[in-house]
Amino acid sequence: MKVKTPRSAGGWGAILFSLKWAHRSGGLLPMLRALASKNSCKSCALGMGGQQGGMRNEKGSFPEVCNKSFLAQASDMQEALPANFFKIHDISTLSQWSPLQLELSGRLTQPVLCEPDNTHYRSISWDEAIDRIVAKIKATLPDRTFFYSSGRSSNEAGFLLQLLARSFGTNNVNNCSFYCHQASGVGMSQSLGTGTATVQLEDLDATDFIFLIGANPASNHPRFMRTLMEIRRRGGKVVVINPAREPGLENFSVPSDIKSLLFGSEIASDYVQPHIGGDIGLLKGIGKALLEFSEKDTGVLYPEFIENHTNNFSAYKKDLEATSWEHLEASSGVKRDTMHDLARKYSRAKNVVFAWAMGITHHSHGVENVHSIVNLALLRGMVGRKNAGLLPLRGHSNVQGIGSIGFTPQLKQEIFNKLESSYGLSLPSQKGLDTLACMEASHQGKFDFAWNLGGNLFGSNPDSRFTTTALSKIDFVLYMNTTLNQGHILGRGKTTLILPVLARDEEPQPTTQESMFSYIRMSDGGKPRHIGPRSEVSVIAEIAEKLLPPQPIPWKELREHENIRKMIGSIVPGFEKMLTIDESKKEFHIDGRTLHSQQFPTANGKAKFQVCPLPDISNGTSAKNNFTLMTVRSEGQFNTVVYELQDRYRGIRSRDVVLMNPEDILSGGFREGQKVTVKNDTGELAGLKIHPFPIRSGNILMYYPEANVLVPRNHDTQSKTPSFKSINVVLMSEE
C-alpha cells in the first residue's frame, strides 16, 4: 500500500494559504499593517515583533513571519458575532458545532450569560457582569475557587489576576503549561536548577548539530524551520527522533529564502522512528554507546566538565552499564547499530542543541524523558557554554511569561517574600492545586467558582466526558476570550459568563510577553476593532477594586499597565529591567536564565545526572488491532484552535481520520478509507477513516482535541502532565 504525502512542505502552499487568510480578514494590506505593528506575535513562543517592529525577531532579522502568524491575526480581525447569534443558536445546536465552526463565527463583543436551565446564552451589560462576578466571589470560600490562564494573555494581566487570587486567599492558580511543557520545567530544574531554555536565539547561528526530539516544528513552529535549514546548509546535522515520519521534517521550502522556496531544503540528516514512549531507551542507548567509545577515545566525553561541574555521574554510568542492549532495543524499538551510529555522529559535533516538544513531555514518564535528554547533553559538556544547550520548543506566545510572573500553584519563595515584605500582605502559604487536580476536585463538587483567563480549558483536558461533567458541577464559570470555543458550550458550569476582551494589538496600553528564549518584548497595543470588548487588565482591576480592600494593594492604580510592570520589576527575580522599560523601550533577556557558563543555579552550583529506568510501555502489539495512540495537531490549527480541516503537510483533507502504518492496515484486515471505531476504557470515537501514513508499526495518530475523548487521565506524577502521547486503544471495523 502506497503512502501519499507531499514531497515538500511550506513554500508556495504556505504563501497561498497565508494570502487566503489575509483575504478572509479584509485584504493583504490590512493584514500586513497589523503584522508590521509593534506588537509581539500571537502564535508560538519562538517570538517576533515588539519594539524592533513587527515581523522581526530579537536579532532584528526580517521578515520573520509564518502562516501561524497570519492565522492568529486573521482570527482577531474577524467581523463581530451577529447581534442575534445567541438568539438563533441554542446551546444544544452549538454543542454539535466543531472547533472550526465556533472559531470562525466571529469576534465576541458583549458579555453573555447562561444560567441553570437556560437553553441559550443571553447578552448582559458590563456593569451587571462585573457585579455578578464580585457577588459570587464574595459569597465563595477561597479554597472553593480556582484561577486558570492560557499563554496568550499578557504578563500584566497574568500578574494582576494571580495577585487578586492570592489576596483573596487561594493558591489554586494554574496555567496551560501543566498540559504541555511542565515536564520540561520540572525535569530541567531538577537537573540544572533552571526550567527554561539554556540558549539564546544567537546561539543557534553557530550550532552544527541539533537533536529534534518529539517535535514537529514544520506545523507548529514554522519559523524554526529556517534555523534547521541553515544548520544543514553550513554542513551541520539535524537528527529527527519521532515515531511518525513527518514530510515537513524531511524536506521543507522556506518561503523567505528564494533558493529554498524554488527547490526545497532537506531538513533531517537522520530520521529515527522509535516506539511511542521509547525515547528513554533510545537516549540511554546513545549514552551507553558513548561510554563504550570513551574507553578507546578519551575525547568522546568531557571528563573535566563531568568531574568539576556535575554530580551523580557514577550512578548514571552504573545504570547504563547494567542495562543490556537487548532491553534498550526492545524498549526503544531502535536497533543497536542505529544507536551506535547516532552516538558516533554526536561525538564528533562541536556545538550541539537539544530541542524537543510535547512528544517528550506528554507521557507518564515525561520528566524522566527530559532528564534523559539533559543527561546526554551533560555527557559531552553541551550545557553551560555558548552555542550549545537545551531548547524546549514552547507553544503559546506567552506561556513561559505566565509562569515566570507567578501564575502557578506555588510562588517561588523570593516572590512570596517580596510581596509580603513590600506590601504588608499575608499570603496563603499552602500549595495550590495544579490544572488536572482542579479538574479532579471539580468532579468531586469541591469548587463553586472558576476564572479562565483566555484559552480553552475544556479542549486542553484529557478525558472529555469527565471534563464536561467536572466543569458542569461548578456553580459559576467565568471565561475571558476573543472568540468562541468548545469550552463555552461543552465546558459550562451551572452558570457561565463569557466576557469579550481585546486582542493584544488592540490594548489601549502597552503589554509585555516572554519568548521561549526568555526574551521580554513590549507590545504597543492599538485601536480596538470592535465596540464592546475590554482590556483584560481593566476588567481584573475593576473586579479587584470592588472585591478587595484598597490597601495594601492599590488596585485602582494597577489599572495602569506601567504600574503593574514596576511592581513586577521590583518583585520577580530577573525582571528588574521591567522597572524602566516604559522609559527606555529596551526589551531584554531575563537575567539568570541563559547558561553560558558552567556555574549552574543549583544549591551546589553543579548539574546533576539522573538515573532513569526504562518505562513499562505498550507498543500496540499485545493483541490484534490494539495500538498505541499519539494525539497530534494539524498544520491548519494552533493548540486547541482549529482554523481549517485540511492538513496540507500530511496530505490529509479532513480530521476524522486514523493515521496508520500501511503494513498494520493490511495485517489488521483493514483498507484505506475504511470506517472504524477507536475505543478504550476512557471513551470511543466512531466514523473515522483509515489513512496510510509512515508511522512506526503498532502506533497510530489522531487529531487533538477531538481525540481527547480517548485520552485517560494518566499523568506524570512529578509534573502532573497528562499522557496525550501514549494511549492504548483498539480499532474496530464498522463494516
Side-chain angles (χ1 to χ4, degrees):
M1 182 179 296
K2 187 176 181 180
V3 176
K4 305 166 191 172
T5 56
R7 293 180 61 187
S8 180
W12 294 109
I15 293 173
L16 293 174
F17 179 78
S18 299
L19 291 175
K20 180 184 78 172
W21 278 87
H23 176 73
R24 293 183 64 168
S25 62
L28 181 58
L29 288 179
M31 172 64 75
L32 291 178
R33 280 196 295 267
L35 291 173
S37 65
K38 291 185 177 181
N39 291 285
S40 67
C41 178
K42 301 170 186 175
S43 58
C44 82
L46 195 61
M48 70 170 190
Q51 294 305 295
Q52 294 195 60
M55 297 186 283
R56 293 183 185 274
N57 60 23
E58 50 261 51
K59 297 191 300 179
S61 300
F62 179 89
E64 290 288 323
V65 67
C66 70
N67 54 9
K68 299 296 181 186
S69 309
F70 275 76
L71 289 171
Q73 191 63 56
S75 176
D76 290 336
M77 294 172 70
Q78 291 184 83
E79 295 295 326
L81 274 174
N84 61 351
F85 180 86
F86 290 108
K87 291 181 180 179
I88 297 174
H89 305 295
D90 62 13
I91 297 295
S92 178
T93 299
L94 293 174
S95 68
Q96 303 302 312
W97 284 27
S98 68
L100 172 66
Q101 290 173 293
L102 293 168
E103 172 65 25
L104 299 185
S105 297
R107 282 287 298 273
L108 292 161
T109 59
Q110 50 191 337
V112 291
L113 179 73
C114 185
E115 296 182 282
D117 300 323
N118 283 176
T119 58
H120 296 68
Y121 273 101
R122 65 178 176 86
S123 299
I124 63 174
S125 69
W126 270 101
D127 287 342
E128 181 183 353
I130 298 295
D131 289 344
R132 280 177 174 266
I133 295 166
V134 172
K136 181 59 184 177
I137 299 177
K138 282 184 175 180
T140 305
L141 294 173
D143 284 345
R144 293 188 66 83
T145 67
F146 77 82
F147 297 76
Y148 169 86
S149 176
S150 82
R152 196 172 176 182
S153 293
S154 67
N155 291 323
E156 291 76 12
F159 182 84
L160 190 61
L161 185 55
Q162 67 84 26
L163 187 61
L164 180 157
R166 297 186 208 281
S167 298
F168 177 62
T170 184
N171 280 329
N172 295 329
V173 176
N174 50 71
N175 65 71
C176 59
S177 72
F178 281 92
Y179 287 165
C180 54
H181 264 292
Q182 185 69 9
S184 297
V186 172
M188 291 177 66
S189 294
Q190 292 174 351
S191 295
L192 303 172
T194 180
T196 59
T198 68
V199 295
Q200 296 183 2
L201 182 60
E202 292 86 347
D203 290 317
L204 299 174
D205 291 339
T207 299
D208 65 340
F209 193 111
I210 187 164
F211 280 101
L212 182 67
I213 314 171
N216 183 17
S219 290
N220 300 310
H221 302 84
R223 288 188 299 112
F224 193 64
M225 300 305 293
R226 185 181 184 96
T227 296
L228 300 179
M229 176 195 74
E230 290 172 345
I231 291 173
R232 290 302 310 276
R233 278 189 179 174
R234 57 178 178 260
K237 296 188 180 300
V238 175
V239 173
V240 177
I241 298 173
N242 194 320
R245 201 168 187 95
E246 299 286 3
L249 300 183
E250 294 189 274
N251 196 293
F252 192 89
S253 297
V254 177
S256 60
D257 183 271
I258 295 299
K259 181 180 178 182
S260 180
L261 178 61
L262 293 176
F263 304 108
S265 298
E266 187 179 76
I267 300 301
S269 55
D270 296 87
Y271 208 120
V272 183
Q273 294 179 264
H275 294 308
I276 292 174
D279 302 283
I280 291 178
L282 172 57
L283 296 168
K284 290 180 74 167
I286 297 172
K288 184 179 179 73
L290 288 173
L291 289 178
E292 292 178 357
F293 296 162
S294 68
E295 294 176 1
K296 296 181 179 179
D297 183 355
T298 57
V300 169
L301 304 184
Y302 285 23
E304 183 179 348
F305 171 83
I306 293 172
E307 175 68 25
N308 296 327
H309 302 289
T310 72
N311 288 323
N312 209 39
F313 173 69
S314 59
Y316 171 72
K317 180 181 179 183
K318 182 179 179 181
D319 175 65
L320 291 188
E321 291 173 341
T323 307
S324 71
W325 281 110
E326 290 75 20
H327 284 151
L328 293 173
E329 288 181 320
S331 179
S332 67
V334 179
K335 296 295 185 184
R336 175 178 179 177
D337 288 348
T338 300
M339 291 187 265
H340 269 88
D341 181 58
L342 293 178
R344 189 171 291 106
K345 290 172 180 175
Y346 175 36
S347 71
R348 295 167 180 165
K350 294 181 179 179
N351 298 317
V352 183
V353 167
F354 294 79
W356 68 91
M358 286 173 281
I360 283 294
T361 61
H362 274 172
H363 297 274
S364 58
H365 50 273
V367 167
E368 291 175 328
N369 279 343
V370 175
H371 284 161
S372 300
I373 293 173
V374 178
N375 287 342
L376 209 52
L378 293 176
L379 271 179
R380 299 201 62 241
M382 292 298 169
V383 190
R385 63 182 181 83
K386 289 185 177 182
N387 307 326
L390 304 162
L391 178 60
L393 295 170
R394 298 185 185 270
H396 252 324
S397 57
N398 196 41
V399 64
Q400 193 162 293
I402 287 294
S404 293
I405 52 81
F407 215 106
T408 54
Q410 186 171 21
L411 283 174
K412 291 182 178 179
Q413 194 61 46
E414 189 172 353
I415 299 176
F416 182 92
N417 293 342
K418 284 187 176 181
L419 277 173
E420 287 205 325
S421 62
S422 299
Y423 292 92
L425 291 170
S426 179
L427 298 174
S429 57
Q430 73 278 14
K431 186 176 180 180
L433 298 179
D434 59 79
T435 310
L436 186 58
C438 281
M439 290 297 97
E440 299 282 354
S442 297
H443 198 271
Q444 297 167 22
K446 294 183 178 181
F447 283 121
D448 298 319
F449 178 82
W451 188 329
N452 296 271
L453 180 62
N456 178 1
L457 180 57
F458 166 81
S460 301
N461 261 281
D463 197 346
S464 302
R465 292 186 301 179
F466 176 92
T467 302
T468 295
T469 302
L471 291 169
S472 72
K473 293 182 178 182
I474 303 173
D475 282 350
F476 194 110
V477 175
L478 169 63
Y479 292 104
M480 296 173 68
N481 290 96
T482 56
T483 56
L484 284 174
N485 62 56
Q486 284 188 308
H488 302 138
I489 312 302
L490 302 177
R492 290 175 294 115
K494 295 175 183 177
T495 294
T496 305
L497 175 62
I498 308 172
L499 298 182
V501 293
L502 296 170
R504 183 174 301 165
D505 58 344
E506 299 171 337
E507 286 277 357
Q509 303 177 60
T511 59
T512 60
Q513 294 78 35
E514 178 186 340
S515 79
M516 67 173 73
F517 295 103
S518 301
Y519 187 78
I520 297 294
R521 286 182 174 82
M522 174 177 271
S523 296
D524 279 358
K527 294 181 180 180
R529 296 181 175 90
H530 302 285
I531 296 173
R534 293 188 181 180
S535 162
E536 292 174 334
V537 165
S538 69
V539 173
I540 299 167
E542 182 177 351
I543 292 171
E545 285 179 56
K546 295 183 176 182
L547 176 68
L548 300 164
Q551 296 296 331
I553 300 296
W555 300 107
K556 188 172 184 179
E557 294 179 16
L558 296 182
R559 291 193 183 208
E560 299 296 322
H561 295 191
E562 181 178 358
N563 292 334
I564 301 175
R565 282 189 284 276
K566 291 188 183 300
M567 194 172 184
I568 293 173
S570 64
I571 295 295
V572 181
F575 279 71
E576 290 78 11
K577 293 175 185 175
M578 194 82 92
L579 290 166
T580 58
I581 195 172
D582 285 274
E583 295 79 23
S584 68
K585 303 296 182 184
K586 290 184 178 179
E587 298 165 321
F588 60 92
H589 283 98
I590 299 170
D591 291 338
R593 295 277 184 85
T594 305
L595 297 182
H596 280 168
S597 71
Q598 295 174 342
Q599 182 69 27
F600 296 96
T602 58
N604 61 9
K606 295 184 177 183
K608 183 179 180 181
F609 282 93
Q610 305 281 350
V611 175
C612 303
L614 293 175
D616 180 16
I617 60 174
S618 168
N619 298 315
T621 58
S622 58
K624 185 177 180 181
N625 297 337
N626 279 31
F627 295 90
T628 300
L629 164 66
M630 178 168 69
T631 64
V632 295
R633 292 156 175 81
S634 73
E635 195 275 331
Q637 77 177 101
F638 187 74
N639 290 341
T640 60
V641 182
V642 178
Y643 295 103
E644 72 167 11
L645 299 179
Q646 183 179 9
D647 189 350
R648 293 179 301 112
Y649 293 177
R650 294 188 179 111
I652 299 171
R653 296 187 176 276
S654 65
R655 297 176 63 83
D656 56 344
V657 294
V658 179
L659 280 63
M660 292 180 64
N661 182 289
E663 293 181 4
D664 289 339
I665 296 175
L666 295 174
S667 64
F670 301 112
R671 69 178 187 278
E672 181 177 355
Q674 180 180 349
K675 287 191 175 182
V676 295
T677 293
V678 182
K679 64 183 301 182
N680 59 10
D681 292 339
T682 304
E684 69 176 67
L685 273 179
L688 303 171
K689 292 170 289 189
I690 290 178
H691 187 94
F693 194 77
I695 183 173
R696 180 67 189 251
S697 178
N699 304 285
I700 61 173
L701 302 182
M702 290 173 60
Y703 287 116
Y704 162 102
E706 293 90 338
N708 285 357
V709 68
L710 298 164
V711 180
R713 299 189 307 282
N714 299 341
H715 59 277
D716 181 279
T717 57
Q718 298 182 78
S719 67
K720 315 302 181 184
T721 303
S723 53
F724 289 93
K725 294 288 190 288
S726 48
I727 307 144
N728 294 320
V729 297
V730 61
L731 267 64
M732 302 171 59
S733 173
E734 295 182 5
E735 301 175 4

